[in-house]
Amino acid sequence: MSQTSAFRDLTPSFFFLLLAATIGPLLFGYHLAELNEPQEVITCAAAKSTATTNGFVAAARAANAGPFPQCIPMSSLEFGLVTSFFTLGGLIGALSGGPITTKYGRLISMIVAAILAAIGPVFEALATNLTLFIIGRFIAGLGAGAATVIVPIYISEIAPPHQKGLFGAATQVMINVGILITQLLGLFLSKGQLWRIILGVGGGIAALQAVALFMAGQESPKWLADNGKPARAKRVLRKIRGHEANIDEEVSGWGLESERDMEDEEETLLANEDHMHDHPADSEGAHPDVGQDGQGDDQSKTAQAGNAAKRGAETLGFLAVLQNADVRPAVIAVVTVMVAQQLCGINSIVMYGVSLLSDLLEANAALLNVLVAALNVIVTTSAAPLVDKLGRKTCLLISIAGMGINSVLLAIGIMKSISILSAIAVLLFVASFGLGLGPVPFILSSELVGAEAVGATQSWALAANWIATFIVAQFFPIVNEKLGKGQVYFIFAAFALVFGAFTAWWVPETLGKRDAEEVWGRKKDRSRED
């Protein structure tokens, strides 16, 4: 099927849900980069650099005389604290997002994450001191961290079976869109008190997402099926796929009956319910019609559906996935790939690329930031179909290899002050990330494990990702300064070599596989119970 035909067969309902859900990852990217451009303005460094000490103090007092100070004086250590509290909130949100989405469903979890993401920026935009700023960043991090766990699972469960890779890439695409939006706003609003608008816009976007999901959101049909609501799951899936689509194969992939069998079961349940109302005396004893006219078979089918729902509810918790011999290899695979996403060095460019390269390239720092963010969006979007054509593992290996090679070239370019080599290496480095290491990690957890473990596995993966993000954000400037400009990229190249070898050896291909049993080569009827 061509991509054009595939898109033509998708419904407006699906695209609405995809867009509404992926606003969560967009906000993650937005908050990740929102302080880059206005940093000097927010911390009063811009005013201080253009005035004498006495003049700066007098100007700061005058500017801060109103209800909202023009800037909040911060040292480098204090600004690092503001940055790290977003990461801390994200880590806690990621750890809690998996269990919450498993127990209460994807839709409610996304709404809660959106509300948190709307509240945090209110504190940021109206902050009058460092404490309020930190509180806002922490709350925004809670919402962003939860969203990065929940949304990839949700997309995997509403996307057409043969296009999960294509639409799974939407998570990384929207993270990059969020980075691009905040960089564009930073071009024009990094002055005076306009920086508060940059922070407030993130809250406005989150509020719109919460309203959209509350008014017109749909629960994941797979989650409904796994939690004993097969008839409702079918109705939701029918709405997402369209009334002309054949959903029998997808429904059977959940381990349920075909669509027609589900309709028969629903009619039987309703008929039994009506009959019990007509014969209340029979409700406590054996049904008088059991064994007649096939009624016993219908009740047997109903009992089987109940047992299936009970099994679906037996989800694996955060620690249980590590103790389960079948799930543990998947947790190791997903966590390692998520760590690779950060330790191969992408955020060294996203967060620090301007200060790293502005001297070499002699370009406007803010404009360079925007161009890098735009390239990331373009490459990730255009490369998304390759995940479903070449395979997840192939795209990962190509991506990691590309980042490793260009890390070496970038190190040489910076050390030798070769501006053209540095510029080309940065562009190819970002392009390599968008090809595989950007989108694929968010897809893997929903494909390497069964429904009972996907929430906890995603929490482990995103927790590891947030920790790795913190490590790069906190220590890159220090290591880069200690080693000498550019040499840190040899370390990133070494990480790429290690993670590439691990991926080739450990991570299985999931393209074209129906479930985790087939991915790992296990027998379908293998017992999981002690």
Side-chain angles (χ1 to χ4, degrees):
M1 180 184 293
S2 67
Q3 291 296 331
T4 304
S5 174
F7 276 105
R8 189 168 57 245
D9 293 338
L10 297 173
T11 63
S13 177
F14 170 76
F15 280 113
F16 169 81
L17 295 175
L18 181 70
L19 177 61
T22 52
I23 290 176
L26 180 148
L27 290 169
F28 164 62
Y30 189 98
H31 290 301
L32 192 67
E34 68 184 350
L35 302 182
N36 283 356
E37 295 300 336
Q39 175 181 346
E40 290 194 349
V41 178
I42 293 173
T43 61
C44 302
K48 191 171 184 178
S49 65
T50 58
T52 62
T53 301
N54 292 335
F56 168 70
V57 172
R61 286 175 178 170
N64 296 346
F68 298 109
Q70 183 168 312
C71 59
I72 302 174
M74 298 183 208
S75 65
S76 298
L77 180 62
E78 289 171 328
F79 186 77
L81 194 64
V82 170
T83 303
S84 63
F85 260 81
F86 174 72
T87 308
L88 177 61
L91 174 61
I92 296 174
L95 289 173
S96 58
I100 291 173
T101 193
T102 298
K103 184 173 183 179
Y104 298 104
R106 319 315 188 200
L107 181 59
I108 292 177
S109 302
M110 286 192 295
I111 292 174
V112 171
I115 292 172
L116 290 171
I119 294 173
V122 174
F123 284 87
E124 293 181 64
L126 303 181
T128 56
N129 54 56
L130 183 64
T131 301
L132 289 176
F133 212 128
I134 287 175
I135 291 173
R137 290 282 290 175
F138 177 78
I139 296 174
L142 288 174
T148 53
V149 171
I150 301 161
V151 173
I153 298 173
Y154 182 71
I155 293 175
S156 175
E157 293 177 348
I158 68 169
H162 302 297
Q163 294 176 290
K164 291 184 184 295
L166 173 65
F167 292 108
T171 297
Q172 185 62 40
V173 170
M174 292 299 273
I175 289 175
N176 294 336
V177 169
I179 294 171
L180 178 58
I181 291 173
T182 194
Q183 303 291 23
L184 284 170
L185 291 176
L187 274 177
F188 306 102
L189 300 179
S190 295
K191 60 186 73 173
Q193 292 206 41
L194 295 181
W195 58 268
R196 296 181 183 274
I197 297 177
I198 300 175
L199 306 183
V201 166
I205 295 172
L208 288 176
Q209 181 195 23
V211 171
L213 290 172
F214 182 79
M215 298 295 292
Q218 297 288 339
E219 183 54 83
S220 157
K222 189 175 188 304
W223 184 87
L224 291 171
D226 289 336
N227 285 269
K229 301 176 183 177
R232 185 179 166 198
K234 181 202 69 176
R235 288 195 298 270
V236 173
L237 184 63
R238 170 61 64 202
K239 183 173 183 179
I240 295 174
R241 296 286 178 264
H243 292 288
E244 302 300 322
N246 183 352
I247 63 174
D248 276 355
E249 182 180 354
E250 192 168 353
V251 168
S252 65
W254 299 340
L256 300 174
E257 304 92 335
S258 68
E259 181 183 6
R260 179 59 197 166
D261 289 339
M262 291 173 70
E263 290 173 351
D264 292 342
E265 179 186 327
E266 184 177 9
E267 291 172 3
T268 299
L269 289 170
L270 292 173
N272 286 345
E273 195 173 308
D274 291 341
H275 194 78
M276 290 174 69
H277 284 302
D278 293 338
H279 301 276
D282 297 331
S283 60
E284 295 180 3
H287 198 286
D289 294 333
V290 171
Q292 300 177 14
D293 300 326
Q295 189 72 19
D297 293 338
D298 289 335
Q299 287 192 337
S300 176
K301 185 189 291 184
T302 302
Q304 291 173 2
N307 290 336
K310 189 174 181 180
R311 288 194 302 271
E314 295 173 354
T315 56
L316 295 176
F318 192 67
L319 295 178
V321 292
L322 297 182
Q323 298 167 350
N324 187 296
D326 283 350
V327 179
R328 188 165 51 246
V331 176
I332 294 172
V334 177
V335 166
T336 305
V337 172
M338 274 291 186
V339 171
Q341 188 187 66
Q342 298 304 320
L343 294 190
C344 283
I346 186 61
N347 274 336
S348 70
I349 300 297
V350 172
M351 295 179 176
Y352 302 107
V354 174
S355 60
L356 187 71
L357 298 171
S358 57
D359 292 340
L360 278 177
L361 303 179
E362 299 180 355
N364 180 277
L367 182 59
L368 181 62
N369 239 6
V370 172
L371 292 176
V372 170
L375 175 66
N376 214 351
V377 173
I378 293 169
V379 172
T380 307
T381 304
S382 58
L386 294 178
V387 177
D388 283 326
K389 290 183 177 179
L390 300 179
R392 283 60 158 154
K393 184 172 183 174
T394 301
C395 286
L396 275 178
L397 291 173
I398 294 174
S399 178
I400 294 172
M403 293 183 74
I405 292 170
N406 286 289
S407 288
V408 173
L409 296 178
L410 181 56
I412 295 172
I414 295 174
M415 291 169 60
K416 302 294 185 181
S417 297
I418 307 174
S419 59
I420 186 64
L421 177 60
S422 299
I424 293 174
V426 166
L427 295 176
L428 292 178
F429 183 88
V430 172
S432 298
F433 176 79
L435 178 62
L437 205 50
V440 172
F442 292 102
I443 303 170
L444 285 181
S445 64
S446 60
E447 297 185 340
L448 290 179
V449 298
E452 75 281 359
V454 67
T457 301
Q458 190 80 316
S459 284
W460 273 111
L462 269 299
N465 186 275
W466 279 94
I467 292 171
T469 300
F470 173 80
I471 290 172
V472 173
Q474 196 73 14
F475 296 107
F476 173 80
I478 300 172
V479 175
N480 188 48
E481 182 179 347
K482 292 292 184 182
L483 293 180
K485 269 199 167 185
Q487 295 186 50
V488 67
Y489 282 94
F490 287 126
I491 297 178
F492 288 137
F495 274 127
L497 181 62
V498 171
F499 287 123
F502 173 85
T503 301
W505 168 58
W506 187 271
V507 180
E509 179 57 72
T510 62
L511 179 64
K513 307 296 175 62
R514 289 172 60 90
D515 52 32
E517 305 294 333
E518 187 176 347
V519 167
W520 293 99
R522 295 190 291 260
K523 291 184 179 180
K524 195 70 174 173
D525 60 351
R526 177 176 176 176
S527 174
R528 293 179 178 272
E529 299 180 3
D530 295 333

